[in-house]
Amino acid sequence: MTLTHSRAGSATRRRRGGARQSRAGMAFVAAYVVLLIAFGVLPTAYAIYFAFTDAGGRVTGFTNFVTTAQDFRFLDAVGHVATYLAFWLLSLVVFVVALALLLHRLASGSASKALRFLYYIPGALAGAASVLVWLFMLDPTVSPVSSLLGALGFHTFGEVIAPGNLPLLFTIIAFWTGAGGWIVVMYGALNNIPTDVMEAARVDGAGAWQTAWHVQIPMLRKWIVYMVILAFAGGAQLFVEPQLLSLASVGVAGRDYSLNQLTYDFAFQMNNINGAAAVSVELLVVSVSAAAVFVARSGFFDAD
Amino acid sequence: MSRSHHQPPHRRPVRRLASRLLTGSVLAGFLAFFVLPVLWLVLAATKTDQQLVHDNPLSFGSFPALKANWDALTAFQDNAVMQWLGNSALYAVISLVITLGVAIPAGYALAMTEFRGRHTLLVATLVVMLMPNATLVVPLFLEINAVHLIGTMWSIILPYSFYPFGVYLTYIYFTTAVPKDLLAAARMDGCSEFRVFWHIALPLATPVIALVGFFSFVANWTNYFLPYVMLPESSQMPIQVGVGSLLSNVPSFNPAVGNLAIERPQLALATLVAITPVLIVFLFAQRFLVSGMLAGATKE
């Protein structure tokens, strides 16, 4: 009898505790929810509204999407961004994974740690700074690797930044600033592989190459996909690199090289806010779908 | 290479040496790729434009040249560079404070408490986190314009303060590193939910606070697109946008410039100045970063 009593008592207490916790939880997230609505949900809704209406607020269906897609610069911009993304994702997957594996195999732990730190340093130069550094690196008159540029047949800055080279140059810049961070992440993931798995591979006679291919890379898969999704979504937003280059090259790279430059141009040069919103919505759909597929399929976030 | 793998490595000393040499040269090659440009940038700031072109690229110029570059840079538009730095610091610090005040409790609540809508909020956070903020620049402009905040510092500070990645990091940290029983015990002892958070969870959260603070600071400091759109006046620019505008005053990159020109070593110095705060914060945070704590945050 007493037992039932106390059990019932603790159940009520737990329920009451649950309600209290629930209220507290909501209070703790309240400010975040306000920001999420103000700077995540509302601008998205706003963009969708503008994309489907005209300057007078009349609903126009897909007109803005059609008009912007027919703009003579649109397909070029899509092509530029797509080529850049192909280079960027490929180099990221190949080199980041390879470097993380090599660093993980280094016998000297302190050398590995020092290298990870040094590879990470350009990460501090993200944004405009990295573009400025590479403008210098790519200018044969001042570059420390001007002989290398010369050997590749480049003797003037103009030759280096010819439009055909841009996807590769933007890849180099993005890789320079971004790879170090991913190497650290991959290295950490390699550390998380249980020692007995690695030990078993060694006992079975697997060499470094086989271990990497059959054991380590499959276990990194989740992280590699995560990196590709983030790099894809980020890369599709290309803006600061071509924008600064257009300032430095007197028009070799136009102000409409990437899609985001085009949205800027629609919005602020051509006064076509609705067209700009349409291109923004397209970019949003692409990156949100990539994110949603990843969240749903990868099991990466066990959001219970 | 692929045929050799049935031999244990120690039986093949020559092959082993070759593989070590290959490993070493690949790692060294990438070291040069990552570090040389930074080294060059530091040295370039100590040279005259003449020296930059004619001297060895990796030589030190002189302190007088460094001083002269500094003077020329600070003289540009009546010390605009210092004003841009101050702007950046103001924007980054205020939004950092708001970010921490908002993201840490939110991540904690998502991880440690049950409430209605928790799951929805978690999924929304993940999706927004994977959505690059540059997509929202034009829509944000429209929204901020509608509430007449364009040209005020709040037009970038408030959007910066929304930092779902920080919420996610905090959430992961609390679910993996802090046992729920610890909080349950405190609740048993009659602690209020706020006291549990303040006196028990928060002191345990120091590493994740440092990490969120670092990432948010760097993200805000290096952002270009949003302030470029929101703050068109030179006196309001953060240093990133300011340095970009210096670039258009360098004759070797932009021959159309008149007599207010900036020389290349001065631009290099400006770039250095722009990254120094990030480098300082980076040095403080690096033990959390390089140790692979991020990857340790996976839920296995």
Side-chain angles (χ1 to χ4, degrees), chain A residues 163-224:
Chain A
N165 299 341
L166 292 181
L168 191 59
L169 300 184
F170 294 150
T171 298
I172 293 176
I173 300 177
F175 187 84
W176 187 70
T177 43
W182 285 116
I183 291 172
V184 170
V185 168
M186 293 296 160
Y187 186 92
L190 285 172
N191 272 345
N192 280 355
I193 297 177
T195 358
D196 42 337
V197 174
M198 295 294 288
E199 191 62 22
R202 214 174 56 83
V203 171
D204 289 348
W209 185 253
Q210 275 197 318
T211 313
W213 194 250
H214 294 293
V215 181
Q216 290 171 304
I217 291 179
M219 295 190 96
L220 286 183
R221 206 187 61 103
K222 218 166 56 166
W223 283 103
I224 296 173

Side-chain angles (χ1 to χ4, degrees), chain B residues 142-163:
Chain B
L142 301 174
E143 183 185 331
I144 299 279
N145 192 33
V147 292
H148 308 293
L149 284 177
I150 294 295
T152 70
M153 63 179 193
W154 301 108
S155 65
I156 60 167
I157 288 178
L158 292 175
Y160 281 173
S161 303
F162 170 55
Y163 194 52

Side-chain angles (χ1 to χ4, degrees), chain A residues 87-165:
Chain A
F87 279 118
W88 163 227
L89 296 180
L90 191 70
S91 62
L92 207 54
V93 170
V94 172
F95 294 121
V96 164
V97 173
L99 287 171
L101 286 167
L102 288 179
L103 287 171
H104 201 253
R105 279 190 63 211
L106 271 191
S108 155
S110 54
S112 160
K113 191 171 180 192
L115 282 175
R116 270 177 285 146
F117 178 66
L118 292 168
Y119 287 4
Y120 192 94
I121 286 181
L125 279 81
S130 65
V131 185
L132 293 177
V133 170
W134 280 90
L135 287 179
F136 287 122
M137 294 300 114
L138 298 170
D139 181 349
T141 50
V142 297
S143 172
V145 291
S146 54
S147 54
L148 181 66
L149 292 172
L152 294 170
F154 300 119
H155 300 285
T156 66
F157 185 57
E159 286 170 16
V160 178
I161 58 166
N165 299 341

